[in-house]
Amino acid sequence: MGTVTVTAETGKTKLDSRWLAARSTEVQLTGTQLTTTHPPAGPTAPWMDAVVPGTVLATLVKNKVVPDPFYGLENETIIDIADSGREYYTFWFFTTFQCKLSGTQHLDLNFRGINYSAEVYLNGHKTILPKGMFRRHSLNVTDTLHPDGQNLLAVLVHPPDHPGTIPPGGGQGGDHEIGKDVTTQYVEGWDWIAPIRDRNTGIWDEVSISVTG
């Protein structure tokens, strides 16, 4: 796995490549361990190449763990979160980036959309993000950067608190339980829209780092 290099010049750098992902129940390490002493070395089990920005389901499709839900009736063969439980679609995402600041510079770590809640670990330091699919988060991580410039980032992403159940025969919005959360309701199934099995869980929008003066 490569490392994204951020220069000391002011501006924004997207972290949209070189991510790894793994199901949380298959990783017997804490976020602090992953970002200090035991980082994943590469896409070896249980870790796989991740799609960021993207959903857990997108990562599983990319790695051929599940079939393409847009092909034929393949979506019907993918286990739904109502049957698997939320832990099945609770995933770690991991990456590294190289960054050294100078003078009075600051570094912000930005998430433009995580569904639904997340714990962020940077070099062993933990931050719990407020819940909500449409929230945007900007974290001042200046004092968390590693002195040698090599930084380890892990994000534990949890599905919506109320992913809901699809009634027999379908139905508009399933049982509507997902409406208790600040997230998209149609993913439970709506008219012609097939249920999205992971309820769009993941780092589904841009991640970036911003250097300011």
Side-chain angles (χ1 to χ4, degrees), residues 34 84 96 107 126 152-153 156 204 209:
L34 288 173
S84 67
T96 63
L107 189 75
K126 177 181 179 180
L152 309 180
L153 172 63
L156 180 61
W204 66 278
I209 294 171

Side-chain angles (χ1 to χ4, degrees), residues 21-27 46 48 60 65 87-92:
R23 184 170 285 113
S24 63
T25 54
E26 298 176 357
V27 177
M48 63 190 87
L60 295 176
V65 178
E87 283 190 347
Y88 187 82
Y89 288 112
T90 299
F91 265 64
W92 281 106

